């Protein structure tokens, strides 16, 4: 197991190196530069030259890349050209928001998707199965931002039940020691703030969780259909175990295996979906930050932010692989 | 069966919980207390040191914390006393004597006096290298030009600088000397970037301290601009959580009339639709930069209202005279007659635009009502082209930006299509070109590589005609590709004139000359919209977006 983990972690090095070259070249291939974005109509050829010089953008690309690698290796991700805040401090502020949102979305997807898939399988071919299929198709095919707008219009503007923007009511005076607002509410013993953070999470989490929900539901359904025809399930039934025990102990547990893999693989999808969701809900996370950075041609933010997200995705996938082994002891990671 | 019952029970509980959640949230229509206003900003400010920013969202906040020697009367371009109660300019507009307001203190208790005022002027002049770039001190660069110790050979130094010295006479008078005549000086130093900051706080919290990294980027090591901005204004900073909120609280020791609201909170919401929805739900009580298409929705609501900011912009078509035959005035006149300006303004500005007759808005001194006017007349355009001896149709490369909405150009593509159609009827054959606004379109326009014609515009920074026609036409620029000493000289003379009446005449003369020479075709001035809850009163939209929250109340 340890060898497997170390090998996977070592693999991170070439992945990140390759990715850094890709991102570095990609953002420089985009037309224009941060100078024009910063100054808008006021950008004169001299001021553009001055800013390019200040940020070293006038040097050959390999020189720029080498400097970037050197500073990044030293733990310095640079400073945002647009906001002038360090990339590290911005990640520190925004990453907890995105993680909180992604976890909430995943929780929503699993809590709703698992039973949906399970019952669809149990009523294979019936009305419930058909309904869940339709719901899954809608979940997968509806663009996140469109769903987000509909949810906001219905639950916030029309019904006034939930807030439309941000992570917390700005009238609440509450500290944020960890940056995870739910946790902060609990740590500070402020249940009003905790509940308020939940309210702010609900709609973005539903919007972001819609695609994973559909996928979880479909995979669960397929897995349950597979497992319930296995010999050991038939044996369990023949032994006279109650249907509930058979389902819980034998069907669901074994069906969870592919589902857990899918859940892990959704992390990348969730992070990319967060770009749209966070923008629509003015949710101050990594997604909305990177989106603004693309418009601003904010090179340090894009380089640092994307690299960071890549590390997260790779690490989560590693965790998924490890958990795979834990859920199913038959799989020996060490032997791989 | 028992299993099914369990499931049904669980679903029932879930449904009840969700309903309860909904009901529990039904009171979510937030109405903040009458002494707190939440304003939806398009972004977080960059920094709260007004001398080191140039973006509107930073100024929106610093304008509440800091005050200048002069200021604009709310909602107008009229200069009035600020921290200076009176002033006197020398005849050559090179020496300005200001009498300072007595008994004023900065938020940290430091007295505002001649020494403090001069400290600010000297600070700007002595900015260290990294702060000398346009990205940091744009407005200082624009107005004062040079630094005492230029960081690079390209940076202007003391010889080019407008600023020469500041001397305090006693505690309540300062004399500022300039290296050359500068008529609009008194108005210009009312700009946010030149407001007065506490010398004690600037030093204590390391406003100019920092280090250069390997990339040559300046890293501020101080906390002045993020945690301790210290001015004399009606509000002071209470807290700033980037991405969440910035809280200002009333300065109860303010020298003038105290602010009505105890707290003003700025909440960053970059998405336009999200700002509108937050206003509809009551999460914010006002926001700026309302999209034209949202105005009807807001007007329909019984709880919301629209306020108009007086026009302080101009949308125009550049004509690049480096491209032949546009160096011929007859061809440029043909363009002016061939553009259906009234049609475009009527169709695409939701009633918020007025057809422009010159390159600056009517609210500025020097606006001339009697400039040469060009109505839409395709037949006349064709005649002029024939007179110029060109073969019809005349092919013309016409550029417009994509991915952008500006106050003077909400939908550039639609403007372009209408203009192209009207030019095609007027003896031209338009060849369309487009580029994304950010970041390459503007660069092309400025470099003169965006065809013979292009769509662009300008929103003013401060209330002086030099900020419009001076910026465009006082010197030779690649965007326009012409050299006209008569216009250059007249605008330089107007800039050096301290007497407002004489300046008015000179700028009127310049506007007449410009519209005869026709370097481009101005077509629209627009009034941007702000939206508020109806119970918010006293907000006075300013042409230059300097709007004091101190006079705002919630009824």
């Amino acid at each position: 197991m340890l060898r497997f983990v170390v090998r996977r972690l070592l693999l991170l090095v070439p992945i990140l190196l390759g990715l850094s070259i890709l991102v570095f070249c990609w953002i420089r291939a985009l037309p224009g530069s941060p100078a024009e974005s910063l100054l808008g109509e006021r950008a004169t050829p001299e001021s553009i030259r001055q800013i390019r010089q200040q940020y070293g953008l006038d040097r050959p690309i390999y020189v720029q890349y080498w400097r970037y690698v050197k500073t990044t290796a030293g733990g310095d991700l640079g400073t945002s050209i647009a906001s002038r805040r360090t990339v590290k401090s911005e990640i520190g502020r925004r990453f907890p928001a995105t993680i909180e949102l992604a976890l909430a979305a995943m929780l929503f997807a699993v809590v709703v998707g698992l039973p949906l898939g399970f019952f669809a399988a149990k009523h294979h071919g019936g009305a419930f199965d058909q309904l869940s299929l339709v719901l899954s198709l809608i979940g997968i095919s509806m663009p996140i931002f469109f769903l987000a707008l509909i949810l906001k219009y219905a639950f916030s503007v029309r019904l006034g039940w939930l807030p439309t923007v941000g992570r917390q009511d700005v009238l609440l005076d509450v500290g944020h020691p960890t940056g995870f607002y739910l946790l902060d509410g609990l740590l500070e013993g402020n249940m009003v703030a905790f509940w308020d953070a939940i309210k702010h999470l609900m709609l973005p989490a539903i919007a972001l969780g819609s695609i994973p929900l559909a996928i979880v539901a479909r995979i669960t359904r397929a897995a349950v259909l597979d497992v319930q025809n296995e010999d050991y399930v038939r044996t369990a039934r023949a032994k006279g175990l109650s249907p509930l025990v058979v389902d819980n102990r034998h069907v669901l547990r074994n069906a969870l295996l592919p589902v857990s893999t899918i859940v892990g693989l959704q992390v990348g999808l969730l992070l990319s979906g967060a770009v749209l969701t966070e923008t629509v809900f003015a949710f101050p996370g990594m997604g909305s930050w990177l989106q603004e950075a693309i418009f601003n041609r904010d090179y340090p933010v894009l380089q640092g932010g994307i690299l960071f997200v890549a590390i997260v995705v790779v690490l989560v996938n590693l965790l998924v692989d490890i958990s795979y082994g834990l859920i199913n002891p038959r799989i020996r990671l060490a032997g791989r | 069966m028992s299993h099914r019952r369990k499931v049904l029970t669980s679903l029932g509980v879930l449904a009840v919980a969700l309903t309860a959640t909904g009901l529990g949230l039904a009171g979510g229509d937030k109405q903040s207390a009458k002494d707190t206003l939440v304003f939806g900003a398009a972004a977080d400010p960059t920094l709260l040191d007004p001398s080191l920013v140039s973006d509107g969202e930073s100024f929106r906040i610093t304008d509440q914390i800091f005050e200048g020697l002069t200021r604009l009367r709310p909602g107008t371009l009229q200069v009035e006393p600020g921290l200076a109660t009176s002033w006197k300019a020398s005849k050559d507009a090179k020496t300005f004597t200001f009498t300072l307001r007595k008994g004023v203190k900065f938020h940290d208790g430091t007295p505002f006096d001649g020494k403090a005022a001069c400290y600010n002027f000297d600070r700007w002049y002595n900015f260290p290298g990294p702060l000398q770039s346009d990205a940091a001190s744009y407005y200082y660069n624009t107005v004062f030009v040079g630094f005492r110790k230029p960081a690079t050979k390209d940076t202007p130094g003391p010889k080019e600088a407008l600023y020469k010295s500041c001397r305090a006479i006693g505690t309540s008078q300062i004399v500022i000397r300039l290296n050359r005549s500068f008529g609009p000086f008194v108005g210009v130093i009312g700009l946010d970037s030149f407001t007065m900051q506490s010398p004690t706080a600037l030093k204590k919290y390391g406003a100019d301290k920092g280090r250069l990294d390997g990339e040559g980027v300046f890293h501020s090591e101080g906390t002045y601009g993020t945690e301790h901005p210290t001015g004399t204004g009606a509000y002071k900073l209470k807290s700033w959580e980037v991405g969440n909120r910035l809280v200002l609280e009333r300065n109860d020791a303010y020298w003038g009339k105290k602010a009505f609201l105890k707290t003003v909170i700025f909440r960053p919401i970059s998405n336009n639709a999200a700002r509108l929805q937050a206003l509809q739900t009551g999460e914010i009580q006002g926001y700026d930069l309302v999209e034209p298409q949202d105005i009807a929705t807001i007007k329909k609501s019984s709880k919301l209202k629209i306020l108009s900011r007086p026009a302080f912009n101009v949308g125009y078509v550049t004509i690049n005279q480096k491209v032949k035959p546009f160096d011929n005035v007859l061809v440029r006149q043909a363009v002016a007659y061939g553009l259906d300006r009234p049609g475009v303004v009527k169709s695409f500005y939701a009633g918020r635009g007025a057809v422009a007759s010159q390159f600056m808005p009517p609210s500025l001194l020097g606006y001339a009502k009697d400039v040469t006017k060009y109505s839409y007349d395709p037949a006349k355009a064709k005649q002029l082209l024939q007179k110029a001896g060109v073969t019809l149709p005349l092919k013309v490369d016409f550029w417009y930006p994509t991915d952008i909405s500006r106050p003077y150009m909400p939908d550039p593509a639609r403007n372009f299509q209408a203009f192209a159609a009207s030019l095609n009827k007027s003896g031209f054959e338009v060849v369309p070109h487009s580029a994304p606004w950010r970041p390459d379109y503007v660069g092309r326009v400025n470099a003169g590589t965006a065809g013979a014609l292009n769509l662009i515009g300008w929103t003013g920074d401060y209330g002086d005609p030099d900020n419009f026609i001076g910026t465009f036409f006082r010197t030779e620029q690649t965007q326009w590709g012409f050299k006209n000493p008569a216009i250059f000289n007249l605008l330089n003379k107007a800039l050096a004139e301290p007497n407002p009446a004489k300046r008015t005449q000179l700028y009127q003369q310049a506007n007449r000359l410009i519209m005869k020479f026709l370097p481009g075709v101005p077509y629209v001035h627009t009034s941007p919209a702000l939206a508020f809850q109806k119970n918010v009163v006293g907000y006075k939209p300013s042409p230059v977006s300097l709007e004091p929250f101190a006079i705002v109340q919630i009824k």
Side-chain angles (χ1 to χ4, degrees):
Chain A
M1 175 76 116
L2 188 68
R3 248 176 70 193
F4 167 77
V5 173
V6 170
R7 217 177 62 186
R8 286 290 294 267
L9 284 177
L10 282 177
L11 256 179
L12 250 178
V13 178
I15 290 177
L16 292 181
L17 213 61
L19 189 82
S20 71
I21 294 174
L22 253 169
V23 171
F24 196 85
C25 296
W26 163 64
I27 55 179
R28 275 162 181 78
L30 294 173
S33 77
E36 289 93 329
S37 308
L38 270 181
L39 298 171
E41 291 104 322
R42 291 161 177 77
T44 60
E46 297 84 59
S47 58
I48 290 172
R49 202 179 52 233
Q50 199 183 21
I51 290 174
R52 288 181 63 81
Q53 203 179 357
Q54 186 183 346
Y55 287 93
L57 303 173
D58 55 343
R59 292 169 214 165
I61 194 155
Y62 61 88
V63 177
Q64 292 182 44
Y65 181 72
W66 177 238
R67 276 175 175 278
Y68 162 64
V69 170
K70 251 186 359 194
T71 49
T72 308
D76 181 1
L77 292 177
T79 305
S80 160
I81 295 174
S83 77
R84 298 191 216 160
R85 291 182 272 275
T86 63
V87 173
K88 232 196 268 179
S89 71
E90 288 275 11
I91 289 177
R93 198 164 17 240
R94 289 170 177 274
F95 188 59
T98 300
I99 286 296
E100 205 168 63
L101 175 60
L103 285 177
M106 201 34 102
L107 186 73
F108 166 72
V110 171
V111 166
V112 181
L114 259 183
L116 202 67
F118 181 77
F119 290 116
K122 295 304 271 182
H123 302 93
H124 179 50
F128 189 84
D129 191 20
Q130 300 296 332
L131 183 72
S132 88
L133 178 69
V134 171
L135 285 178
S136 302
L137 280 177
I138 291 176
I140 287 184
S141 52
M142 189 182 283
I144 292 181
F145 73 91
F146 185 62
L147 177 65
L149 287 176
I150 290 177
L151 288 172
K152 265 173 95 171
Y153 184 73
F155 292 99
S156 306
V157 179
R158 299 304 300 181
L159 297 168
W161 288 359
L162 293 165
T164 60
V165 288
R167 298 179 70 193
Q168 192 116 61
D169 184 345
V170 286
L171 296 176
L172 284 177
D173 271 318
V174 56
H176 297 122
T178 68
F180 293 92
Y181 282 19
L182 292 179
L183 193 62
D184 290 339
L186 290 176
L187 287 177
E188 303 249 313
N190 189 337
M191 291 319 284
V192 176
F194 176 70
W195 178 232
D196 183 68
I198 291 183
K199 284 197 290 185
H200 280 82
L201 263 178
M202 278 185 187
L203 294 183
I206 292 174
L208 184 58
S210 61
I211 294 179
L213 181 147
I215 295 172
V216 166
R218 297 317 287 167
I219 297 288
T220 308
R221 178 183 172 277
V224 169
L225 281 179
D226 255 11
V227 171
Q228 68 184 0
N229 292 328
E230 292 284 344
D231 291 344
Y232 56 85
V233 174
R234 259 208 311 274
T235 311
R237 280 204 198 102
K239 267 173 28 186
L241 288 178
S242 79
L244 196 63
V245 175
V246 174
D247 282 346
N248 270 350
R249 217 176 272 169
H250 299 284
V251 178
L252 208 50
R253 192 173 290 181
N254 284 297
L256 269 181
L257 203 58
V259 176
S260 71
T261 317
I262 287 298
V263 167
L265 293 177
Q266 296 302 306
V267 171
L269 190 74
L270 282 176
L271 290 176
S272 60
V275 173
L276 293 170
T277 316
E278 289 179 3
T279 304
V280 174
F281 288 98
F283 202 86
M286 297 284 290
S288 51
W289 181 52
L290 289 175
Q291 187 233 19
E292 279 166 33
I294 291 174
F295 282 122
N296 290 330
R297 301 289 191 269
D298 201 334
Y299 294 170
V301 169
L302 288 172
Q303 285 159 193
I306 293 176
L307 207 63
F308 182 78
V309 171
I311 293 175
V312 170
V313 171
V314 171
L315 288 181
V316 169
N317 280 333
L318 177 64
L319 285 176
V320 169
D321 285 350
I322 295 170
S323 73
Y324 207 67
L326 294 178
I327 295 175
N328 187 351
R330 282 176 299 177
I331 295 169
R332 286 160 194 254
L333 293 172
R336 280 185 175 184
Chain B
M1 280 311 276
S2 70
H3 167 63
R4 189 168 291 175
R5 202 175 301 134
K6 260 192 179 173
V7 170
L8 285 175
T9 316
S10 313
L11 285 176
V13 169
L14 190 68
V16 170
L18 283 175
T19 315
T21 311
L23 292 177
L25 298 169
D29 190 9
K30 294 258 166 339
Q31 278 303 321
S32 45
K34 295 246 164 161
D35 60 359
T36 302
L37 178 99
V38 183
F39 190 86
D44 270 300
T46 311
L47 200 69
L48 299 175
D49 179 342
S51 57
L52 294 178
V53 291
S54 58
D55 63 298
E57 294 306 337
S58 297
F59 285 147
R60 196 191 301 284
I61 312 231
T62 59
D63 195 41
Q64 318 306 325
I65 302 174
F66 300 96
E67 295 174 298
L69 296 180
T70 59
R71 66 183 181 197
L72 297 177
R73 177 167 293 175
T76 72
L77 293 176
Q78 215 176 319
V79 179
E80 64 174 23
L83 290 177
T85 52
S86 62
W87 50 85
K88 219 179 124 194
S90 65
K91 269 192 183 161
D92 61 359
K94 282 184 176 174
T95 307
F96 293 82
T97 308
F98 292 89
T99 303
L100 307 180
R101 200 174 287 281
K102 286 180 184 153
V104 177
K105 283 191 172 165
F106 289 101
H107 298 154
D108 62 352
T110 306
F112 169 72
D113 54 17
K115 223 170 119 191
C118 283
Y119 181 89
N120 276 275
F121 280 92
D122 287 331
R123 175 190 173 221
W124 308 324
Y125 184 49
N126 286 286
F127 269 146
L131 301 185
Q132 292 176 8
S133 94
D134 265 2
S137 51
Y138 170 79
Y139 283 100
Y140 181 87
N141 274 300
T142 304
V143 175
F144 289 94
V145 186
F147 297 91
R148 194 163 78 89
K149 285 185 191 160
T152 65
K153 61 177 176 21
D154 292 336
T155 311
K159 271 188 193 161
E160 293 89 356
L162 176 71
Y163 177 75
K164 191 175 183 186
S165 68
C166 176
R167 187 164 56 92
I169 304 176
T171 53
S172 59
Q173 227 176 29
I174 57 167
V175 178
I176 294 173
R177 286 183 206 286
L178 306 179
N179 279 322
R180 54 184 175 272
S181 306
F182 189 59
F185 186 69
V186 170
V188 164
I189 55 161
L191 269 176
D192 265 56
S193 285
F194 309 125
T195 49
M196 298 289 114
Q197 310 190 46
S198 161
T200 319
L202 285 169
K203 282 183 255 180
K204 186 173 170 189
Y205 300 110
D208 304 333
K209 271 196 187 148
R211 63 181 171 85
L212 286 176
D213 67 11
E215 300 249 16
V217 181
F218 182 70
H219 292 261
S220 174
E221 283 171 353
T223 52
Y224 179 82
T226 49
E227 293 170 34
H228 303 284
T230 312
T232 60
Y235 283 100
K236 47 189 182 181
L237 180 71
K238 186 180 175 200
S239 64
W240 179 15
E241 295 162 51
V242 175
N244 186 29
R245 62 175 189 170
L246 186 147
V247 184
L248 295 181
E249 65 177 357
R250 184 167 55 210
N251 171 16
D252 286 321
Y254 185 56
W255 60 267
K257 200 174 170 201
K258 314 264 184 298
F260 287 109
L261 298 167
K262 193 166 170 267
T263 312
V264 182
I265 301 175
F266 295 88
R267 172 167 218 176
I269 305 171
S270 62
N271 184 279
N272 278 315
R275 279 204 298 277
L276 169 64
Q277 286 172 327
L279 183 75
Q280 288 171 320
T281 58
E283 286 164 271
I284 58 174
Q285 273 111 49
Y287 77 96
D288 197 353
L289 312 171
V290 176
E291 297 264 23
Q293 66 268 24
D294 294 336
I295 291 173
T297 312
I298 295 166
K299 278 187 170 166
K300 253 190 260 166
S301 163
S302 60
K303 285 184 186 167
L304 311 177
K305 65 179 174 187
I306 286 282
L307 296 183
S308 293
R309 177 169 286 140
F312 201 61
N313 53 38
V314 59
Y316 61 82
V317 178
T318 307
I319 305 179
N320 188 344
Q321 295 186 32
K322 275 268 151 36
V323 181
K324 301 237 176 233
F326 293 87
D327 53 340
N328 184 338
V329 72
L330 294 172
V331 177
R332 298 201 296 278
Q333 285 172 353
V335 172
Y337 283 114
L339 290 169
D340 183 7
R341 296 180 291 157
V344 164
V345 172
K346 199 178 161 202
S347 309
F348 307 133
Y349 287 83
R352 308 196 71 76
V355 178
S357 65
Q358 52 210 287
F359 282 91
M360 59 184 232
S363 53
L364 280 169
L365 71 87
Y367 184 84
K369 284 185 180 152
D370 55 351
V371 294
T372 312
K373 304 219 167 58
Y374 304 87
S375 54
Y376 175 48
D377 190 341
K380 196 160 184 181
K382 276 185 195 163
Q383 278 173 14
L384 284 162
L385 285 179
Q386 278 158 350
K387 205 171 151 192
V390 297
T391 324
L392 299 193
L394 175 63
K395 263 197 178 179
V396 53
D397 291 310
F398 193 168
W399 282 72
Y400 67 97
T402 56
D403 306 329
I404 187 69
S405 172
R406 305 299 281 177
Y408 50 78
M409 189 164 61
D411 188 345
R414 286 202 297 192
N415 285 11
F416 170 79
Q417 281 152 10
F419 280 147
S422 73
L423 283 174
N424 284 339
K425 281 186 207 156
S426 310
F428 292 92
E429 188 189 328
V430 170
V431 183
H433 300 272
S434 67
W437 174 268
R438 279 203 301 193
D440 51 340
Y441 182 79
V442 179
R444 276 184 164 276
V445 170
N446 287 332
T449 55
L453 306 180
N454 56 62
L455 290 182
I456 189 91
W458 180 261
T459 300
D461 295 316
Y462 54 94
D464 194 87
D466 187 64
N467 189 227
F468 277 84
I469 52 176
T471 306
F472 307 150
F473 308 124
R474 190 159 33 78
T475 52
E476 188 181 352
Q477 290 185 26
T478 42
Q479 176 185 357
W480 310 97
F482 73 84
K483 209 173 189 173
N484 185 327
I487 292 179
F488 297 165
N489 292 341
L490 189 55
L491 286 170
N492 278 309
K493 196 174 159 194
L495 181 67
E497 176 58 56
N499 181 315
K502 282 187 193 158
R503 294 191 79 217
T504 305
Q505 279 179 2
L506 288 170
Y507 280 114
Q508 281 176 337
Q509 207 180 323
N511 275 318
R512 286 184 209 112
L513 196 60
I514 290 165
M515 286 316 291
K516 213 173 252 174
F517 180 66
L518 214 60
V521 188
Y523 64 90
V524 73
H525 302 298
T526 65
S527 301
L530 295 110
F532 281 92
Q533 304 274 354
K534 270 207 174 127
N535 60 351
V536 177
V537 296
Y539 194 93
K540 285 213 172 133
S542 138
V544 284
S545 307
L546 298 180
E547 287 133 10
F549 281 78
I551 55 174
V552 176
Q553 298 179 66
I554 299 177
K555 290 278 183 186

